[in-house]
Amino acid sequence: MRRIWAALTMAAVTTATLTGCGLGSDTKSDDTAASAAATGDVKGKVSLQTWALKPKFTDYMQSVIDGFKQKYPGVEVDWLDQPGDGYSDKVLSQAAAGGLPDVVNLPPDFALPLARQNQLLDIAKADPKLADEYVAGGVDAYRFRGMDGTYGYPWYLNTDVNYWNSELLTKNGLDPRALPGTLDELIAQARVFKEKSDGSTYLMSRKPGLGDLVNAGVKVMSDDGKSFTFNTPEAAALLDKYRAAFKEGLLPKDVLTDTYAGNSKLFNAGTAGWTTGGANFITSVATDNPTLAPKIVSSPATGTPPLYVQGLSVPRNSKNPAAAVALARWVTSAENQAKFAHLTSIFPSTKASAGDPFFSKSDGTNAGDAKVVAFTSLAKAKILQPVEVDDAMGTVIKQQIALAISGDATSKQALDTAVERCNQLLKG
């Protein structure tokens, strides 16, 4: 399940929407644009566009801008903040008109089609310290298949953590101090859980997705980004395990339907023993179900943790590339990101933040423990589902996985169909 920024308003856009509009590319060469950004004077006017930060974070952003102007006297910053709804359409219209702000907030899936249309500056050329100063997963998020370059500064990050209802586990024969760390261990514990329970609760309560295939060693997409490749024996074997678990009754019967409530809701209701969520999950549960919150224990996400990224990109046709790169670096600096993280449930993307005790040391509460687990996980977290996957592809994949787990198709048949249809959609 894709959880991006519960603390901030987000909207979705499909890659097909952006790539289908024939955005033109400017004629400025990559080297020229990068050189201007790296060596030019930081002066004049520069515009910054963020996404749904007003009014909650107005004071914070204004303080960041004021600090930048103090560091570079005479620079003028025009801060634009777009509402959460319709942001993708706004970015599209700005790009089509050649009017993107000098620094623009783009998650990787928004940045991809613009990078393909040669609209974004290669930040790695303009800022050689990028890879040294930002966490690898965040930088990699703006490196796209089949393309050279890095097309954004990672800004704020999040990831998922495993959450367990210790009371339910204990009640149903499991030890909260010996949590499962692999799928096989999870299924084995789910079997014990089922044998002890009255049938009204479950340990496992979700079907797998592309991220699970990645963690099973499946190569989901070709290196050039032109085709999906997840119809492998390893992927089929994973779905076979889930089908067997489903047939055995280890998952809710309606887990494959469109009306399924979702494992987070079942967990919050006390009818599921395990879910995944962001670092602030326990805090949110304390509001919705205060009696459950103290019973929750956390553990690292199974396999490679998923990475959720917001970033700042610079258009190649920026009239003030030097100031744009300097501003993007300033906003994403360790100091400014740490201040942001104190206000909301996100994590900074800079390596220098690793030693900050606010993130690396728990206050002794289970919520504090979960925050440390999440922050520690960021060092190896990656975007698991390719950014090329749009909503239509996601629907196809979910439908075919459901058919495989229900037994209405073999795992290989379902995966072959999903790959074929997704490749058709990818080619447009």
Side-chain angles (χ1 to χ4, degrees):
M1 183 178 181
R2 207 173 176 189
R3 297 181 184 87
I4 306 180
W5 324 122
L8 303 172
T9 302
M10 293 295 160
V13 66
T14 66
T15 298
T17 300
L18 286 172
T19 56
C21 292
L23 302 178
S25 61
D26 62 76
T27 58
K28 189 189 296 183
S29 74
D30 288 336
D31 289 341
T32 300
S35 177
T39 62
D41 294 331
V42 180
K43 60 183 181 180
K45 289 186 177 182
V46 62
S47 54
L48 166 66
Q49 178 167 287
T50 55
W51 185 6
L53 295 188
K54 289 183 177 180
K56 186 173 183 180
F57 302 105
T58 297
D59 291 344
Y60 163 74
M61 283 303 302
Q62 194 58 59
S63 71
V64 172
I65 291 169
D66 290 344
F68 182 73
K69 292 164 67 176
Q70 184 175 2
K71 182 176 182 179
Y72 299 101
V75 171
E76 295 181 40
V77 179
D78 181 17
W79 175 33
L80 314 168
D81 187 70
Q82 303 296 342
D85 292 339
Y87 186 63
S88 60
D89 293 334
K90 181 64 177 180
V91 169
L92 175 61
S93 63
Q94 290 172 324
L100 283 169
D102 296 299
V103 181
V104 58
N105 180 186
L106 296 174
D109 52 341
F110 283 35
L112 170 63
L114 298 181
R116 283 178 171 170
Q117 294 289 338
N118 206 21
Q119 293 245 341
L120 300 181
L121 182 70
D122 180 354
I123 298 296
K125 286 185 177 180
D127 187 349
K129 295 181 180 179
L130 179 70
D132 295 331
E133 298 185 4
Y134 295 81
V135 296
V139 175
D140 287 343
Y142 290 90
R143 293 171 175 163
F144 303 123
R145 293 175 180 82
M147 299 181 63
D148 293 327
T150 308
Y151 296 94
Y153 280 95
W155 188 4
Y156 51 95
L157 312 176
N158 217 326
T159 187
D160 279 348
V161 172
N162 282 327
Y163 291 101
W164 312 87
N165 182 328
S166 62
E167 183 179 69
L168 268 186
L169 266 60
T170 301
K171 179 181 177 181
N172 293 292
L174 300 176
D175 184 353
R177 297 166 298 180
L179 299 169
T182 66
L183 175 60
D184 288 340
E185 291 174 357
L186 177 64
I187 292 173
Q189 291 203 15
R191 187 172 294 116
V192 173
F193 190 102
K194 179 178 181 292
E195 291 171 354
K196 297 285 186 178
S197 71
D198 59 5
S200 63
T201 57
Y202 297 85
L203 181 62
M204 298 173 66
S205 58
R206 72 165 181 85
K207 63 179 183 288
L210 285 183
D212 297 281
L213 299 185
V214 172
N215 272 323
V218 176
K219 186 173 183 177
V220 171
M221 200 168 204
S222 62
D223 291 337
D224 60 10
K226 294 182 178 180
S227 63
F228 290 97
T229 58
F230 56 85
N231 53 337
T232 68
E234 293 80 8
L238 178 77
L239 297 191
D240 287 345
K241 289 183 180 181
Y242 271 92
R243 181 170 66 245
F246 180 73
K247 186 177 181 180
E248 195 177 339
L250 304 185
L251 293 92
K253 291 181 180 179
D254 62 345
V255 71
L256 305 179
T257 67
D258 291 336
T259 58
Y260 179 58
N263 65 324
S264 290
K265 289 186 178 180
L266 294 184
F267 185 89
N268 287 2
T271 56
W274 164 64
T275 190
T276 58
N280 68 326
F281 180 75
I282 296 177
T283 303
S284 65
V285 171
T287 300
D288 300 332
N289 187 350
T291 60
L292 171 61
K295 305 169 186 174
I296 298 175
V297 294
S298 59
S299 67
T302 306
T304 299
L307 181 66
Y308 308 122
V309 187
Q310 285 289 340
L312 296 176
S313 297
V314 176
R316 288 179 65 250
N317 64 357
S318 168
K319 293 182 174 62
N320 197 348
V325 168
L327 178 57
R329 170 175 270 281
W330 175 259
V331 173
T332 60
S333 67
E335 179 182 359
N336 285 320
Q337 289 203 60
K339 292 177 182 177
F340 196 15
H342 279 257
L343 300 175
T344 189
S345 300
I346 52 90
F347 294 109
S349 59
T350 56
K351 293 180 180 178
S353 303
D356 189 332
F358 179 77
F359 307 109
S360 60
K361 293 185 179 180
S362 173
D363 60 4
T365 64
N366 61 348
D369 293 344
K371 182 177 72 172
V372 172
V373 169
F375 180 67
T376 304
S377 299
L378 290 175
K380 62 176 184 176
K382 297 179 180 179
I383 291 182
L384 300 182
Q385 176 168 296
V387 294
E388 291 85 353
V389 176
D390 62 23
D391 289 346
M393 296 174 194
T395 298
V396 167
I397 293 166
K398 289 176 184 177
Q399 289 172 342
Q400 292 304 314
I401 286 177
L403 289 174
I405 294 174
S406 68
D408 291 332
T410 69
S411 296
K412 185 64 165 60
Q413 288 170 340
L415 290 166
D416 285 344
T417 299
V419 165
E420 179 183 2
R421 293 181 182 175
C422 287
N423 282 337
Q424 290 171 350
L425 290 167
L426 189 64
K427 293 174 182 176

